[in-house]
Amino acid sequence: MRTQVVIVGAGPAGLLLSHLLGLEGIESVLVERQTAEHVQARIRAGMLEAGTVELLRSVGLGDRLDVEGMEHRGIHLQWPGERHHLDFVDLVGRSVTIYGQTEITKDLMVAREKAGHPAYYSTSDLAVHDVTERPYVTFVDSSGKPQRVDADVVVGCDGFHGPSRLSIPSPEVGERTYPFAWLGVLADVAPSSDELIYAWHPDGFAMHSMRSPRVSRFYLQVAPDEDIEQWSDDRIWTALSTRLGLSGWTLQTGTITEKSVLPMRSFVSTPMRHGNLYLAGDAAHIVPPTGAKGLNLAVADVGLLARALTASFRGDDSLADAYSETALRRVWRCTHFSWWMTSMLHRHGDDFDVQLQLAQLRRTVSSEAAATELADNYSGLPL
């Protein structure tokens, strides 16, 4: 098989890139190791930056988002006895939207089916070859038949464990592993807050989020090696009620439908291009989820790369040549913001660190300049 672009990985980044290229008349083939059902069901990010929402709308993917997405003007920052609201619209003129990654994936899969672009799911033995000359991808399809797809360009949207990044010789890697993790909980209960709550607490960080008017998402700071079997539903609700507790406010509880332990790390691999291979999303960088940047960074990569590849196929290689450097400027800015939010809100270190964290929180909610800096980064820098 021959195509213009082979996209390795059919998560939101790969699906969106294929959609954007298709609108410009550029052919692509998607190759994914997991089943379509597994990709669609993965519960990940849920907060969309203003620029992400604008991009999805501009390419015909905003119909369900506009109906079911929950627009938020800002977030709440909390520590024991105090909760403060930061209004992003007042501060920087931008809002954020709650719309789960599972929903974005559904929208993208429907769009791809309508467009009729080829996609292979449930593949094995996937490998990327000859990326500096005539790139191609080999794999075994779901029926057990070996396949080869030749292309002008290969794009790795295959996450941290995918094969694409391994095709870049001697990359420079920056990494920070955090001494804590998140216990993530999905519950069938209406949100107890109008907007997200980020709570510092002596027992550890807690977060109240949501996926819809009927489904809430919660996170608790735990140890990286935490045994999830030790966390009964009652223990989870008790910990959330304690860490999110505030006089005059009650946390509503309900049926917990999913729980998992999420390790936290910062990871950046450079460059994001080698020959005719380009990386996007988690294949090149991972951020802790505190700053809600993972999916939004992937969308930013893909939006930039789609423009670069479109121009390249039309004879102008300048954007493609600058892709890695341009993308990494945003990656490092968001990596810093995610590190900063994580360091400020999670219990770690000694009592000296506690006072530094509380001083930073008080500064953030009392200074318009500090609040504006958080709002500007959280709501999303221009794509």
Side-chain angles (χ1 to χ4, degrees):
M1 188 184 302
R2 171 82 195 175
T3 191
Q4 290 174 284
V5 181
V6 174
I7 302 171
V8 183
L15 286 165
L16 180 58
L17 178 60
S18 176
H19 182 77
L20 295 175
L21 293 175
L23 293 177
E24 298 294 339
I26 297 171
E27 296 178 350
S28 64
V29 173
L30 272 171
V31 184
E32 168 62 50
R33 290 173 296 169
Q34 304 289 351
T35 66
E37 293 75 19
H38 177 86
V39 172
Q40 185 170 305
R42 282 189 293 217
I43 298 174
R44 297 282 177 83
M47 198 290 293
L48 305 184
E49 296 175 357
T52 297
V53 172
E54 291 171 9
L55 175 62
L56 293 174
R57 286 173 176 159
S58 70
V59 295
L61 297 168
D63 290 349
R64 230 165 42 93
L65 168 61
D66 287 336
V67 173
E68 300 181 20
M70 303 167 67
E71 184 178 6
H72 285 185
R73 292 181 62 97
I75 61 172
H76 299 280
L77 287 181
Q78 177 177 318
W79 57 95
E82 297 190 39
R83 180 180 295 171
H84 300 266
H85 184 248
L86 299 185
D87 191 308
F88 298 164
V89 177
D90 286 348
L91 289 165
V92 296
R94 299 192 298 277
S95 62
V96 296
T97 301
I98 302 298
Y99 190 66
Q101 177 174 313
T102 52
E103 305 310 311
I104 293 174
T105 304
K106 290 176 187 175
D107 296 340
L108 286 163
M109 284 182 167
V110 169
R112 184 171 187 80
E113 188 174 342
K114 288 181 179 177
H117 299 305
Y120 292 88
Y121 289 90
S122 302
T123 66
S124 59
D125 298 331
L126 200 160
V128 178
H129 308 270
D130 200 16
V131 296
T132 59
E133 297 292 338
R134 300 175 180 273
Y136 63 97
V137 171
T138 57
F139 58 94
V140 176
D141 66 23
S142 59
S143 69
K145 180 180 179 181
Q147 298 282 357
R148 169 173 168 157
V149 184
D150 291 85
D152 300 298
V153 168
V154 176
V155 179
C157 298
D158 47 346
F160 181 78
H161 297 289
S164 296
R165 189 175 67 254
L166 302 179
S167 298
I168 296 181
S170 304
E172 292 187 17
V173 173
E175 189 169 12
R176 174 66 51 84
T177 301
Y178 297 91
F180 39 76
W182 276 6
L183 172 60
V185 174
L186 202 65
D188 286 338
V189 59
S192 302
S193 173
D194 56 339
E195 294 179 341
L196 276 64
I197 304 171
Y198 286 80
W200 182 97
H201 192 273
D203 292 349
F205 170 76
M207 181 177 176
H208 182 319
S209 182
M210 59 280 292
R211 285 295 177 267
S212 75
R214 299 168 300 280
V215 178
S216 296
R217 183 76 160 151
F218 301 97
Y219 299 101
L220 287 165
Q221 178 184 344
V222 296
D225 58 352
E226 196 75 30
D227 181 2
I228 199 169
E229 297 301 322
Q230 300 300 312
W231 284 87
S232 66
D233 291 4
D234 286 344
R235 184 185 178 190
I236 288 171
W237 288 122
T238 298
L240 286 168
S241 297
T242 299
R243 300 186 196 184
L244 294 168
L246 194 70
S247 178
W249 178 84
T250 301
L251 175 66
Q252 301 299 318
T253 64
T255 302
I256 292 177
T257 58
E258 189 268 346
K259 51 187 170 183
S260 58
V261 174
L262 314 171
M264 301 184 70
R265 65 162 58 168
S266 297
F267 174 88
V268 181
S269 178
T270 63
M272 292 175 61
R273 178 193 179 183
H274 178 64
N276 294 309
L277 169 68
Y278 298 79
L279 302 182
D282 287 0
H285 45 75
I286 295 172
V287 291
T290 325
K293 292 293 160 223
L295 175 60
N296 293 292
L297 261 181
V299 170
D301 288 349
V302 164
L304 180 66
L305 184 55
R307 291 193 297 271
L309 292 179
T310 298
S312 180
F313 279 116
R314 293 171 181 170
D316 180 0
D317 290 331
S318 58
L319 292 178
D321 291 341
Y323 167 71
S324 180
E325 181 182 354
T326 305
L328 283 167
R329 283 199 295 268
R330 184 188 186 93
V331 167
W332 279 113
R333 171 84 293 277
C334 292
T335 298
H336 176 268
F337 177 70
S338 300
W339 165 85
W340 177 75
M341 288 281 285
T342 301
S343 301
M344 177 174 65
L345 287 160
H346 290 76
R347 184 73 168 90
H348 61 90
D350 56 20
D351 290 342
F352 184 82
D353 294 289
V354 167
Q355 294 305 320
L356 293 179
Q357 291 174 312
L358 293 174
Q360 182 64 70
L361 283 164
R362 294 187 184 105
R363 170 67 177 172
T364 302
V365 301
S366 62
S367 162
E368 183 175 347
T372 299
E373 177 67 8
L374 188 153
D376 197 34
N377 284 272
Y378 195 103
S379 62
L381 305 174
L383 295 182

